[in-house]
Structure formats: structure tokens, C-alpha cells
Amino acid sequence: MTAGRSRARFPSTAALLATLLCATAACGSSAETNELKSTWEEPASYSYTLTSSTQVLAGAFQVKVRNGKVAEVVGLGEDSRRQAQNPPAEVPTIGKLLKTLDQARSEDADTADADYAADGHPVRISLDWDKNSTDDEASYTISSYEPTPG
């Protein structure tokens, strides 16, 4: 009779393993979905507000991009006004932020997430290359995005 019980348990164990494998496969699919790229194409000229929390760049900035390069940066707070006095290269274009996101994903960063607006431009990017390291996290919020002529 013991052998009968073992046989009855084996199919249950096999079913449990199959269920776990399917669940694991589904988790892998959702992770891939999280890494989808935006179809948004960066225009040559636009303006946006960047709120950044990184080791290098922290604060809120009004950014104007012309011909694909940061042309003007205005700090919107006391600390960000000081930082805006640095060369505009310190403040990224949205395209550069997306390249940084892609790099973080290709390097298997612990966190490389983004949220996108209806038109496809990012509105939030969160990065953390190594969850065990300090000061490598970055958070960017993009608001007031407007393409401009020129």
C-alpha cells in the first residue's frame, strides 16, 4: 500500500514542479516587458523640466535643447541655480537619459526602469547599478516637455 501512496504523490509533485516552471517562465516574460524601449524619437529642439536626484546632479532644472544639444539650463532652486552655472553638458538631453537607461539595462543594473507618456517620451527613469553600493542610484523626472521649432 505504501507504493500506491508514493505513486499518488508523484503526479502531484510533478504537477507542482510544472506549475512552478510555468510561473518562473511568466516572471521572465514580465521582466522582458519591463525592458521595452520607447518608440519616441527625440526632436532636434525642445524644452523640458528635469528633476534629478543623483550624486552629480540634484535639483530641478528648466532645460532648452537646440539642434540636439543642451543650449540653456536654468536652475529652479537655490542648489540647482548653483549647479546650472556649470557647463550645460552636466545636464543631459532626454536622448542622453534614454542612452543611460539602455546602458544600465545592457549592463544588467539592479534597477533600470522607466515610465513613458502617451507620446512615448520618458517621464520617469530610475537607475541603480548595484543595490549593494551606495551613491550609484539615479532618479530623473521629466515634466513640461514641449517640442519647439528650430
Side-chain angles (χ1 to χ4, degrees):
M1 229 190 233
T2 306
R5 286 185 188 162
S6 294
R7 285 187 196 138
R9 287 184 186 154
F10 178 74
S12 297
T13 303
L16 177 60
L17 286 173
T19 302
L20 289 172
L21 288 173
C22 288
T24 302
C27 288
S29 296
S30 69
E32 289 170 10
T33 302
N34 190 28
E35 293 184 10
L36 290 177
K37 289 185 178 182
S38 168
T39 57
W40 177 76
E41 292 187 31
E42 182 179 27
S45 298
Y46 58 93
S47 64
Y48 76 103
T49 300
L50 174 66
T51 304
S52 173
S53 173
T54 70
Q55 188 68 7
V56 177
L57 186 67
F61 305 88
Q62 180 60 46
V63 184
K64 291 186 181 177
V65 176
R66 300 286 178 262
N67 299 317
K69 297 182 191 282
V70 173
E72 183 181 339
V73 177
V74 176
L76 301 178
E78 186 178 330
D79 288 337
S80 55
R81 278 193 289 277
R82 277 195 301 270
Q83 291 181 42
Q85 294 172 355
N86 292 332
E90 296 294 326
V91 177
T93 62
I94 295 174
K96 185 172 181 182
L97 289 173
L98 287 171
K99 285 178 184 173
T100 302
L101 174 64
D102 288 343
Q103 178 183 359
R105 287 177 173 164
S106 70
E107 294 176 3
D108 293 325
D110 283 313
T111 303
D113 295 325
D115 292 326
Y116 300 93
D119 72 353
H121 80 272
V123 293
R124 183 195 58 82
I125 296 174
S126 296
L127 306 170
D128 186 0
W129 274 262
D130 182 356
K131 67 181 177 182
N132 295 321
S133 294
T134 56
D135 298 335
D136 69 336
E137 301 87 4
S139 175
Y140 303 99
T141 303
I142 297 157
S143 59
S144 303
Y145 165 75
E146 273 189 53
T148 57

